[in-house]
Amino acid sequence: MLLGHLLAALATGWLLRRGDRALGRLVDLSEQGVTELAEHARVRSLRAALRLVRALLAGLPSAARTAPRRTLRTAFDSSPPPVAEALRDTVIRRGPPAADCVLAA
């Protein structure tokens, strides 16, 4: 019994040591990946900034100036909003009961 426990303790210690080493390697690799990602992000943001500066110096393209504009509704607009036919027979059951509804006690 003692030999079995000693072998189990030895195997467990060996597995834990390998796990600690693997975890250390993962931490090192993730640290390297983060630094490379940060450098790549800096370069990417610098390129995006340069593209923005070039676009601002070149002016807006003509297609953006001729895009159709949406008409905005104002409070003074006399036409009612369009009513959808699909919502004609809907029943709204949220909120308090209607005033004309009498409850029997």
Side-chain angles (χ1 to χ4, degrees), residues 27-67:
V27 168
D28 290 340
L29 288 174
S30 65
E31 182 181 338
Q32 290 173 1
V34 166
T35 56
E36 289 174 6
L37 182 65
E39 291 173 6
H40 182 66
R42 280 188 225 128
V43 170
R44 195 170 59 208
S45 64
L46 182 60
R47 286 181 184 167
L50 289 175
R51 277 196 304 260
L52 176 65
V53 168
R54 283 189 203 126
L56 289 175
L57 290 176
L60 296 175
S62 61
R65 285 187 229 136
T66 60

